[in-house]
Each structure stands twice: as C-alpha cells, then as structure tokens.
Amino acid sequence: MNSLKDSIYANPLGEISAFAFDEKVVSVFPDMIQRSVPGYSTIITAIGLLAKRYAQPHSHCYDLGCSLGAASFSMREQIETENCRIIAVDNSSAMVSGFEKKLRQLPSSIPVDVLCADIRDISIENASVVVLNFTLQFIPIADRLAFLEKINQGLLPGGILILSEKLKFDDDRQNVLQTDMHHLFKKAKGYTDLEISQKRTALENVLIPETFGLHQQRLQQAGFSSAEVWFQYFNFASIIALK
Ligand code: GEK
C-alpha cells in the first residue's frame, strides 16, 4: 500500500488534541503504523497464514478495527477454503472509504464486506477466525470482557482469535525499558523526539495498554480455552486464543 509520509506531529502544536482516526491520519496510516508498531508486517503476514490454516468452509473471518484492511488483504491472499467471507469493521468512516477504494482496485474471488460500525455493536456469527489487530486497546477497559465474550460465542468450535496489543508490564523497570526501546525503534524509523512525545500525549487515555497476564485472564474468563503469545517485539505482542 503506498501512502504519504506521516509528519502529523512534526511541528510543535500549541494544544495536542486526543488522537482520532480522521482523514489526516488515514492519508498517512500505512506509513504511520509501519514506523510505529515494531513487527507490524510480520504480524500481518502471519495473520494470513493463520487464516489459511483456520478458515473453515462456509464460515466468516472477521477483521475488527480493520483500518485500511491490511489484515483482510493478507487473509484474502492466503485463504483457500471454500466459500469464506471476510467481514471487516471499523467505526472511522475515513478508514472505511479508504479500504473500499483499495478493494475496488484489487478485486478477488473471496468476498469482503466492509462495515462502518462500532465493533461493540455488531453481531459475530459463524466465525472461524477473528482478528483484533491493535484494536482492543482502543476499547474502554470496562467493555472488554463483554466484547470478548461475544466474540467467543460467535466462534465455531476450532475457531481462533488473533489479538495483537501494545503491552504494559507489572515491573516498572520493564515499562521504562520497553517504552525506551519502542521510542528508539521509532527514532530509527525517522521520527524525531518531538514527534514521539506529541504522539504519546495524543494517545494518552485513548490507547490503554494492559499486561499480558490481564489479557490472558480475561480471555479465559470470556470462554477461551487457551491464550498464548506467538510474537513479541518490545512492548507489542500478538496472542493466539483458542475457543
Ligand atoms: C491493521 N487492524 O492495520 N469500533 C470499530 N473500530 C474501532 C473502534 C470501535 N469501537 N475503536 C477503534 N477502532 C489494523 C490496525 S488501528 C491500530 C488497527 C492503531 C478502529 C480505529 O478506527 C482504527 O482504524 C483501528 O481501530 C485501530 O491491522 O492505529 O494503533
């Protein structure tokens, strides 16, 4: 996906408003996420491979908080199972329009429905694969359990949830170290200290990370029988949860 270079936080801003997935962010999103999330491309590739293995015939694969559809495109490329439908959902209309535009440019035999909706409000049915790739972190903590219960109930036997999140740690030394390493990663990708610190302020109270332990406990409470990290790069991890 080609996109403009992210320079949203390059100049000093008098007031930093809360981060939103608006037109401005959408226009630079592929560049922003690549340069901000360590391991993003690896995770996207793996989501396709997991879908290839877990997509069941005549079932749905959900991409919740799909943004411009990177995970959906990766699943669509890999799935060989008969009669699968990808259902991609995002509540940013700018993201949904951008995704629909890309879909028109790259047609394929696997249907993709793109819905503009809050993922807490949609029904999940007949699902073999559910992807939450860096989305749950934007859902208020109080809503997370009920939302994961809904996903678990919508999954078929043998279904999986792929949950990628920014993590926090119980030990404060780890928080400091991993946060510093993430900032070094962003600097190596060309972001300045000003960009890093202004973006951090914008995301405060918008992106709420939790520890792996809390995620694992909640997934279990929601009905998943197993949840393990399959990938981690500093404070960014991806979890596979089995129904
Ligand atoms: C990727 N998965 O490229 N309902 C629907 N969408 C939501 C909600 C909600 N309640 N809250 C946030 N979003 C993508 C990347 S980005 C991660 C996901 C990031 C959407 C929001 O509009 C945005 O598009 C996405 O979740 C999070 O694999 O930018 O750090």
Side-chain angles (χ1 to χ4, degrees), residues 27-237:
S27 65
V28 299
F29 187 73
D31 176 70
M32 173 186 276
I33 197 152
Q34 281 283 351
R35 293 200 289 134
S36 305
V37 175
Y40 175 75
S41 316
T42 302
I43 295 171
I44 290 294
T45 303
I47 288 171
L49 299 177
L50 286 161
K52 185 189 185 104
R53 172 172 171 153
Y54 282 96
Q56 299 178 30
H58 313 287
S59 73
H60 299 153
C61 296
Y62 287 87
D63 180 5
L64 305 178
C66 57
S67 300
L68 295 173
S72 292
F73 282 113
S74 179
M75 291 197 281
R76 203 181 66 160
E77 238 170 66
Q78 293 293 335
I79 292 173
E80 288 164 346
T81 322
E82 186 197 344
N83 195 15
C84 265
R85 177 173 285 275
I86 295 173
I87 301 174
V89 186
D90 204 289
N91 66 351
S92 153
S93 55
M95 284 292 187
V96 167
S97 325
F99 186 2
E100 283 170 336
K101 192 169 154 204
K102 283 178 198 293
L103 274 175
R104 285 192 294 274
Q105 289 161 354
L106 297 163
S108 123
S109 59
I110 297 180
V112 182
D113 297 336
V114 189
L115 314 178
C116 188
D118 191 307
I119 52 178
R120 288 167 294 179
D121 298 336
I122 60 151
S123 59
I124 309 276
E125 286 159 357
N126 189 29
S128 51
V129 177
V130 176
V131 174
L132 277 172
N133 202 34
F134 301 106
T135 306
L136 189 68
Q137 58 196 18
F138 294 105
I139 301 290
I141 289 185
D143 294 348
R144 292 182 187 179
L145 176 60
F147 175 58
L148 291 173
E149 279 171 346
K150 174 176 78 172
I151 292 175
N152 185 264
Q153 279 157 21
L155 275 169
L156 295 163
I160 59 160
L161 166 67
I162 303 155
L163 171 65
S164 311
E165 289 277 294
K166 183 175 188 182
L167 293 183
K168 232 173 64 174
F169 302 89
D170 288 321
D171 186 325
D172 254 351
R173 292 167 306 170
Q174 288 285 351
N175 281 321
V176 171
L177 155 69
Q178 308 261 6
T179 306
D180 281 356
M181 293 315 295
H182 177 224
H183 292 172
L184 275 182
F185 172 90
K186 290 185 74 164
K187 279 182 89 162
K189 295 287 178 189
Y191 283 116
T192 63
D193 289 330
L194 178 69
E195 286 178 294
I196 294 169
S197 100
Q198 295 195 123
K199 172 89 177 283
R200 191 181 185 180
T201 305
L203 280 171
E204 220 154 291
N205 306 320
V206 175
L207 189 170
I208 303 156
E210 296 179 290
T211 62
F212 170 65
L214 277 176
H215 283 299
Q216 195 178 38
Q217 208 178 4
R218 185 185 293 117
L219 286 162
Q220 214 157 32
Q221 243 180 306
F224 289 89
S225 61
S226 160
E228 296 295 347
V229 170
W230 68 269
F231 179 83
Q232 184 167 347
Y233 189 162
F234 300 138
N235 45 348
F236 290 79

